[in-house]
Amino acid sequence: MSTIRGARERARTEVTAAIKDEARRQLAADGAAKLSLRAVARELGMVSSALYRYFPSRDDLLTALIVDAYGAVGETAEAARATPGGSTGPHTARWTTVACAVREWALAHPHEYALIYGSPVPGYTAPQDTIGPASRVGLVLIGLVRDAFLSDGLAVPPLAGELRPEAERMAADLAPDLPPGVVAALVPAWAQLFGLISFEVFGQFNRVVEARDLLFRRGAHDLARSVGLLDGPATTTTDRAGSARR
């Protein structure tokens, strides 16, 4: 029985992957708004009723694709942070390493990027299942800033008095161990970082910017500085953890 069950599970995994691959192809060709379970089933040679056993509705399929896309870009950011460029050296350089990795993923997967950072899909409301995956890049950026804060590699930005209540609320929700002024600077920096990426992915830089790699790296560095990250050298993550304990 276990052999039969294992074969069924493998078959289900393979069919699920095939459905997602076809759905991504349709996203690239027609956009998320036109995604259709019937069209996916037709291209795969399946009857619609069979496909519904895998994804009961278009929204379920969209959610699976969204979770996969957030997971892929999140994994990219996490992997970049684990590299020497993302874990040693100046804190601004670590931020830039992660930012460049996210940009490279977006340029290599423009349709998946558009699904999660482009225009909302008409009639679709993302469920709670997407919140965790959607947070992964932001958590990496928070981690980079936390590393800098713990190693004296961060200059806390000034905080306007009228913004303090909101900054304290955001800090309590997102990073209670960081000063509110840092979190108030980090949130717009995160948004502007994806704004730079979106302008390039969606073609707004066409006939405007030619040296896009250089522009992005400079922009990412400036955003890191706006959060308070310093350009000076710092110790490794391991050394910083030991120093913090002392």
Side-chain angles (χ1 to χ4, degrees), residues 4 9 55 75 78 146 148 160 163 177 184 199:
I4 296 174
E9 290 174 353
F55 297 99
E75 183 177 345
E78 291 159 1
R146 181 180 291 113
L163 187 57
D177 55 335
F199 259 54

Side-chain angles (χ1 to χ4, degrees), residues 21 41 74 88 120 135 138 154 161 173 207 232 244:
D21 287 344
T88 60
S135 303
L154 183 141
D173 286 346
R207 299 185 181 180

Side-chain angles (χ1 to χ4, degrees), residues 128-220:
Q128 293 289 111
D129 296 352
T130 62
I131 293 177
S135 303
R136 289 174 67 174
V137 174
L139 290 174
V140 170
L141 298 179
I142 290 172
L144 292 170
V145 174
R146 181 180 291 113
D147 284 349
F149 180 63
L150 293 176
S151 65
D152 295 325
L154 183 141
V156 178
L159 177 61
E162 65 270 19
L163 187 57
R164 178 165 293 277
E166 178 63 9
E168 291 177 346
R169 184 198 64 78
M170 290 191 296
D173 286 346
L174 301 174
D177 55 335
L178 294 177
V182 172
V183 177
L186 176 58
V187 170
W190 164 63
Q192 290 173 69
L193 179 64
F194 278 96
L196 277 172
I197 294 172
S198 294
F199 259 54
E200 185 170 4
V201 171
F202 300 141
Q204 279 90 346
F205 282 157
N206 292 348
R207 299 185 181 180
V208 177
V209 180
E210 294 184 359
R212 296 177 187 175
D213 288 352
L214 181 61
L215 180 76
F216 183 83
R217 293 189 68 86
R218 183 71 244 181

Side-chain angles (χ1 to χ4, degrees), residues 81-91 93-95 97 233-237 240:
R81 187 186 176 196
T83 65
S87 59
T88 60
H91 292 287
R94 303 181 195 194
W95 170 288
T97 293
T235 56
T236 64
T237 302
R240 287 199 310 276

Side-chain angles (χ1 to χ4, degrees), residues 20 23-28 31-35 58-70 73 105-106 109-122 124 126 130 134 198 201-202:
K20 290 181 179 179
R24 292 188 188 100
R25 190 195 68 77
Q26 293 192 18
L27 286 178
K34 295 185 178 180
L35 182 64
R58 181 209 68 159
D59 285 4
D60 290 307
L61 178 54
L62 271 175
T63 295
L65 298 176
I66 288 168
V67 168
D68 284 354
Y70 275 131
V73 69
W105 180 88
H109 305 87
H111 303 293
E112 292 168 70
Y113 180 87
L115 179 63
I116 54 178
Y117 293 113
S119 299
V121 180
Y124 174 79
T130 62
S198 294
V201 171
F202 300 141

